[in-house]
Amino acid sequence: DADVTQTPRNRITKTGKRIMLECSQTKGHDRMYWYRQDPGLGLRLIYYSFDVKDINKGEISDGYSVSRQAQAKFSLSLESAIPNQTALYFCATGGDNTGELFFGEGSRLTVL
Amino acid sequence: GIQVEQSPPDLILQEGANSTLRCNFSDSVNNLQWFHQNPWGQLINLFYIPSGTKQNGRLSATTVATERYSLLYISSSQTTDSGVYFCAVEVPGGGADGLTFGKGTHLIIQP
């Protein structure tokens, strides 16, 4: 089983709908991240969290919210999805002693 | 913020060839990672290499932090090496912010 699991892996939705992407990890890491990938742009940081009481905005947080339900769970929500939020979304976790990050398999979201 | 530039942006090689991918960064970094994104979109950790040289099978990487670059070497390329290779860095004091990614090198290995 993957150490970092994302659900759903693929989702097609309509403009204006609320969408939640979920991430869970078995690595025991405190740090968790949500990234977005668009073609030709690499990955950009949306939100990150140090622990269940710590939430921080990243480079492109507008239009997104997150919830850290437990050390192992970090969910990303789009309250009212729009077409330019069509992208591949990645969750990642980071250990406390190094900066090394470990990524989930990605969630492909299409907003029509 | 820090700039991360990867070169070349695209590379097409025949199976069996060797290649070198480069990552330049504009400021001091704490950490540097190389990833391979396969055709299915999965990001695979290749190396965690803030400095020095590491090898893993046909792949190796070298980071010269003082000169602000890192190199990824792929020897005896196989078609399964195809995909996008990303370099990502973490700046001092910015560890909480995660990694800043380059735009990647798109590698195609032809049989």
Side-chain angles (χ1 to χ4, degrees):
Chain A
D1 290 338
D3 293 326
V4 185
T5 303
Q6 294 183 227
T7 57
R9 297 290 311 282
N10 289 283
R11 181 74 182 269
I12 300 174
T13 191
K14 294 182 179 180
T15 297
K17 294 293 187 180
R18 184 178 187 273
I19 295 297
M20 178 180 286
L21 306 179
E22 298 184 338
C23 177
S24 63
Q25 52 116 346
T26 60
K27 299 186 76 68
H29 289 163
D30 286 327
R31 291 187 289 146
M32 296 189 74
Y33 304 81
W34 276 103
Y35 284 88
R36 166 180 172 157
Q37 184 180 26
D38 298 278
L41 292 180
L43 278 76
R44 294 179 292 167
L45 183 63
I46 306 173
Y47 271 96
Y48 62 97
S49 168
F50 278 174
D51 60 39
V52 294
K53 299 179 181 179
D54 178 77
I55 301 291
N56 303 280
K57 293 183 177 180
E59 178 187 356
I60 53 165
S61 59
D62 287 349
Y64 302 94
S65 63
V66 291
S67 174
R68 185 81 183 266
Q69 301 96 322
Q71 186 207 34
K73 296 184 182 296
F74 192 37
S75 60
L76 176 71
S77 293
L78 288 68
E79 295 300 326
S80 180
I82 57 177
N84 75 3
Q85 291 177 313
T86 294
L88 182 58
Y89 290 85
F90 286 98
C91 174
T93 73
D96 292 335
N97 296 324
T98 74
E100 188 172 10
L101 293 193
F102 300 87
F103 283 80
E105 295 180 323
S107 296
R108 191 171 297 278
L109 176 66
T110 302
V111 183
L112 302 176
Chain B
I2 191 169
Q3 303 299 311
V4 181
E5 296 183 354
Q6 292 187 241
S7 60
D10 300 281
L11 186 58
I12 301 174
L13 298 171
Q14 294 297 122
E15 200 167 22
N18 301 328
S19 59
T20 300
L21 282 56
R22 187 176 181 100
C23 172
N24 292 333
F25 40 95
S26 60
D27 208 341
S28 300
V29 298
N30 280 347
N31 299 310
L32 186 145
Q33 286 184 249
W34 282 98
F35 296 91
H36 174 213
Q37 187 168 36
N38 64 24
W40 294 271
Q42 296 175 322
L43 277 170
I44 310 299
N45 286 39
L46 295 178
F47 293 102
Y48 171 72
I49 186 166
S51 64
T53 297
K54 290 186 178 180
Q55 181 156 6
N56 184 3
R58 296 181 296 102
L59 275 62
S60 64
T62 295
T63 297
V64 184
T66 53
E67 297 187 21
R68 300 180 183 172
Y69 73 89
S70 183
L71 302 173
L72 177 69
Y73 305 96
I74 305 174
S75 64
S76 304
S77 298
Q78 301 175 359
T79 56
T80 52
D81 294 331
S82 295
V84 183
Y85 289 80
F86 288 104
C87 166
V89 302
E90 177 192 7
V91 300
D97 297 353
L99 297 169
T100 299
F101 281 76
K103 293 185 178 180
T105 291
H106 187 197
L107 177 64
I108 297 174
I109 304 298
Q110 296 178 332

